[in-house]
Amino acid sequence: MGCSQRKDVFVKHLAKYDSRFVAGDAYSFEQWMSVLKRTHKCSNSEVATIVSKAATKAYCEGHPGRIDVADLLSERSTINPLALRDAERITAMRRNAQRVSLPASSPDSSVYAQPQVDDIY
């Protein structure tokens, strides 16, 4: 999944908890790049978990309905992505999928695109 697609996933989940994301974008380009770099290996499900936990944290800290980048990054640090936990199996599945299937999306050519390097961490 490219950075632009991951950003879209974040926005969809953030819009559930933070009204700023329903009609627009509340983060700057630099903030998004920080979030996207730190979540490079995260699946859509892991992104959803990060956002949900960040929303809970924001509520408990007294700012419900406002999820800041710091909340997301804090919750990201508590998640160990499957792509890192079981890297060998995930890499084997990706290689197999490349041989037998077509990509689900076009290559990321957005302003959020990052180099296609497996170890960006």
Side-chain angles (χ1 to χ4, degrees), residues 5 18-20 22 26 33 42 48 52 54 67 73 78 86 91 101 107 111 114 118:
Q5 291 95 349
D18 188 334
S19 61
R20 298 175 300 162
V22 173
M33 289 307 294
C42 293
S52 175
I67 302 171
L73 296 179
T78 68
D86 203 354
T91 300
S101 62
V111 296
Q114 295 178 2
D118 283 340

Side-chain angles (χ1 to χ4, degrees), residues 4-95:
S4 179
Q5 291 95 349
R6 192 165 53 260
K7 178 182 181 269
D8 292 343
V9 171
F10 265 106
V11 169
K12 287 186 187 320
H13 288 291
L14 285 163
K16 295 177 196 175
Y17 305 101
D18 188 334
S19 61
R20 298 175 300 162
F21 291 94
V22 173
D25 194 345
Y27 299 156
S28 70
F29 176 79
E30 291 78 15
Q31 289 173 313
W32 273 118
M33 289 307 294
S34 177
V35 170
L36 296 174
K37 284 179 184 177
R38 291 282 312 275
T39 59
H40 175 65
K41 298 282 187 176
C42 293
S43 68
N44 289 351
S45 175
E46 291 161 339
V47 167
T49 300
I50 290 167
V51 172
S52 175
K53 287 183 169 188
T56 301
K57 180 180 180 180
Y59 179 83
C60 291
E61 290 180 351
H63 52 98
R66 183 177 176 83
I67 302 171
D68 297 322
V69 170
D71 297 326
L72 293 175
L73 296 179
S74 172
E75 292 308 321
R76 165 56 188 93
S77 68
T78 68
I79 301 274
N80 186 10
L82 179 62
L84 297 176
R85 278 193 321 262
D86 203 354
E88 191 174 307
R89 274 187 356 147
I90 299 299
T91 300
M93 285 191 299
R94 286 183 177 147
R95 284 191 188 126

